[in-house]
């Protein structure tokens, strides 16, 4: 085969794991927004350099912009080779891509091929990859007939149960983990930003494409948005028509679980009070002031229980039956406590129930 080989994503996908490296040569900001799973960023133009070249193109001429771009790209490719690629053997197989047109990836791929590496260039670049992801997110969820939705009010342990199911080898989609958000006004994670919508969808696609449609898939009963991120329509529709498991845990245990999971708010009453203020329209200034006083006084268990009883549980009851058509027939799964043993036992019991076709 002549290198660089320029191939469409449909040809590359079946052997994506065969590449020794997936090299995204776009700028750091483009890469940060989203990239092919497993890719590394070796930009041939950084963000400032892209601006310089683009400005020169608009204000002077394409010729002057290309001269500057060529000089910068050559310098950056040389640095990447010297700093990180010299140790690779001749059989090292990289895949290279850029945004769409192929100029940036073509420059990198040409030089790597001239060195002697069997390099492949993604025809159509990231835009072609993104088109494929969009198409598959509309079709992949339809293939799964055995989706099981974990229902249950806030603090009932659904996320922990998903984690244990995953550890036991079950097929799990943890939307909150992928979205870096727990799905409520208090759901933001400390010191962790949510990914972009595109990165969220890439991570979801990466999971779905490796699942076996003949085996159950476990997922939590989420709303259409997790934080600011939207769950793809096809998956949402499949979830809402799926069999349900009703995870049950008594209120005292739920309070303890939430105080563990939201320890950052327990340690930061001021930050918690900022978030509580967002509920003013629903509960009024007097109620919010009361909850903020509890937080400031360190009476967290009391606050959490009131939030459950007066806010989260009523909201859950209003939405769950309306949005999940098979919730009325949900299989109950009672957790005696929040110990590791309890979740391990519950996960095994749930796999047995679903595997026996009792739902």
């Amino acid at each position: 085969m002549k290198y660089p080989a320029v191939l469409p994503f449909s040809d590359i996908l079946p052997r994506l794991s065969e590449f020794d490296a997936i090299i995204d040569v776009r700028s750091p900001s483009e890469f940060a927004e989203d990239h092919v799973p497993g890719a590394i960023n070796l930009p041939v133009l950084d963000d400032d350099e892209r601006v310089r070249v683009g400005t020169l193109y608009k204000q002077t001429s394409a010729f002057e912009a290309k001269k500057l771009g060529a000089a910068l790209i050559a310098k950056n490719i040389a640095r990447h080779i010297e700093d990180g690629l010299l140790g690779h053997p001749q059989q090292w197989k990289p895949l290279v891509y850029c945004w769409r047109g192929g100029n940036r990836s073509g420059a990198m791929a040409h030089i790597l091929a001239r060195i002697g590496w069997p390099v492949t260039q993604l025809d159509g670049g990231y835009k072609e990859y993104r088109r494929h992801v969009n198409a598959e997110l509309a079709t992949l969820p339809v293939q799964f007939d055995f989706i099981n939705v974990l229902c249950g009010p806030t603090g009932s342990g659904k996320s922990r149960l998903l984690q244990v199911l995953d550890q036991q080898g079950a097929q799990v989609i943890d939307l909150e983990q992928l979205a870096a958000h727990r799905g409520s006004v208090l759901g933001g994670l400390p010191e962790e930003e949510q990914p972009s919508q595109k990165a969220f969808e890439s991570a979801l696609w990466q999971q779905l494409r490796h699942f076996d449609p003949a085996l159950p898939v476990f997922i939590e009963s989420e709303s259409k948005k997790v934080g600011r991120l939207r769950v793809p329509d096809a998956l949402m529709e499949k979830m809402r028509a799926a069999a349900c498991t009703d995870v049950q845990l008594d209120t005292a245990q739920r309070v303890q679980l939430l105080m563990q999971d939201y320890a950052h708010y327990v340690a930061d009453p001021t930050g918690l009070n900022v978030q509580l203020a967002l509920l003013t329209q629903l509960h009024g200034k007097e109620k919010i002031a009361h909850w903020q006083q509890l937080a400031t006084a360190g009476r967290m268990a009391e606050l959490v229980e009131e939030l459950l009883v007066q806010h989260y549980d009523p909201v859950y009851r209003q939405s769950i039956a309306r949005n999940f058509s098979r919730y009325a027939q949900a299989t109950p799964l009672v957790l005696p406590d929040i110990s590791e043993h309890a979740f391990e036992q519950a996960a095994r019991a749930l796999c047995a129930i679903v595997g026996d076709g009792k739902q």
Side-chain angles (χ1 to χ4, degrees):
M1 179 182 290
K2 183 179 179 181
Y3 295 105
V6 182
L7 299 176
F9 192 71
S10 57
D11 288 353
I12 289 172
L13 179 59
R15 55 191 187 92
L16 193 60
S17 61
E18 297 176 10
F19 292 100
D20 296 308
I22 302 172
I23 301 174
D24 185 326
V25 301
R26 298 176 302 156
S27 67
S29 63
E30 292 173 289
F31 180 82
E33 182 183 20
D34 186 34
H35 49 267
V36 175
I40 60 173
N41 189 209
L42 299 181
V44 297
L45 291 174
D46 65 25
D47 293 306
D48 291 338
E49 290 166 343
R50 282 190 73 212
V51 171
R52 287 176 59 194
V53 172
T55 301
L56 194 61
Y57 183 93
K58 291 179 180 179
Q59 296 182 354
T60 306
S61 71
F63 178 68
E64 294 299 323
K66 288 179 180 179
K67 285 196 296 181
L68 175 61
L72 294 172
I73 288 172
K75 177 191 68 175
N76 289 329
I77 291 176
R79 176 170 51 81
H80 291 316
I81 292 172
E82 187 172 12
D83 290 349
L85 305 183
L86 287 180
H88 294 307
Q90 188 171 357
Q91 63 269 27
W92 179 67
K93 292 170 55 179
L95 169 66
V96 180
Y97 72 92
C98 59
W99 163 244
R100 179 186 63 183
N103 288 334
R104 288 180 286 175
S105 59
M108 173 73 89
H110 174 76
I111 292 175
L112 297 185
R114 294 295 291 175
I115 291 171
W117 284 310
V119 58
T120 299
Q121 181 183 355
L122 172 56
D123 190 21
Y126 169 81
K127 189 172 183 180
E128 172 63 16
Y129 157 76
R130 179 68 186 163
R131 185 198 64 76
H132 184 89
V133 169
N134 284 337
E136 290 223 313
L137 285 177
T139 58
L140 280 174
V142 180
Q143 301 176 17
F144 299 99
D145 293 329
F146 303 106
I147 288 182
N148 185 276
V149 178
L150 303 188
C151 303
T154 298
S156 58
K158 302 183 295 295
S159 295
R160 290 196 187 185
L161 184 55
L162 280 181
Q163 293 168 7
V164 175
L165 284 164
D166 182 54
Q167 292 166 7
Q168 293 183 1
Q171 296 186 144
V172 167
I173 301 173
D174 190 340
L175 292 172
E176 293 185 0
Q177 188 272 328
L178 295 177
H181 199 280
R182 293 195 173 107
S184 72
V185 70
L186 301 178
L189 301 183
E191 300 180 2
E192 185 173 355
E193 294 291 328
Q194 286 196 267
S196 70
Q197 180 69 34
K198 291 178 180 179
F200 171 66
E201 291 172 357
S202 279
L204 180 58
W205 168 78
Q206 177 75 342
Q207 280 200 328
L208 286 171
R209 78 184 188 91
H210 286 110
F211 282 173
D212 183 346
L215 298 177
V217 176
F218 297 96
I219 194 168
E220 187 173 341
S221 56
E222 299 289 351
S223 62
K224 290 183 178 181
K225 294 186 75 174
V226 185
R228 58 175 172 76
L229 301 178
R230 302 182 311 278
V231 178
D233 290 342
L235 179 59
M236 201 73 232
E237 291 171 8
K238 194 71 176 180
M239 288 167 56
R240 290 188 166 182
C244 298
T245 296
D246 187 24
V247 183
Q248 300 175 8
L249 184 66
D250 72 47
T251 301
Q253 291 290 312
R254 290 166 61 200
V255 169
Q256 291 303 310
L257 183 146
L258 289 170
M259 289 181 66
Q260 292 175 10
D261 286 354
Y262 291 82
H264 54 289
Y265 280 134
V266 174
D268 180 22
T270 301
L272 174 57
N273 284 339
V274 171
Q275 296 303 112
L276 289 174
L278 300 176
L279 298 174
T280 301
Q281 188 172 358
L282 288 174
H283 295 282
K285 293 181 179 180
E286 184 177 348
K287 176 63 69 177
I288 297 303
H290 166 65
W291 285 342
Q292 290 174 331
Q293 288 170 2
L294 291 179
T296 302
R299 295 159 61 184
M300 290 298 182
E302 185 178 348
L303 169 61
V304 171
E305 184 168 354
E306 287 196 18
L307 284 171
L308 288 177
V309 173
Q310 299 176 30
H311 174 67
Y312 284 106
D313 288 358
V315 170
Y316 172 77
R317 287 192 295 268
Q318 290 172 11
S319 66
I320 191 68
R322 181 177 69 247
N323 291 318
F324 292 87
S325 60
R326 296 171 67 182
Y327 176 71
Q329 295 80 42
T331 301
L333 184 67
V334 180
L335 287 164
D337 53 54
I338 58 173
S339 65
E340 289 185 15
H341 177 72
F343 281 103
E344 290 168 356
Q345 291 288 94
R348 283 192 283 269
L350 180 55
C351 287
I353 292 170
V354 175
D356 290 341
K358 294 179 181 178
Q359 288 194 322

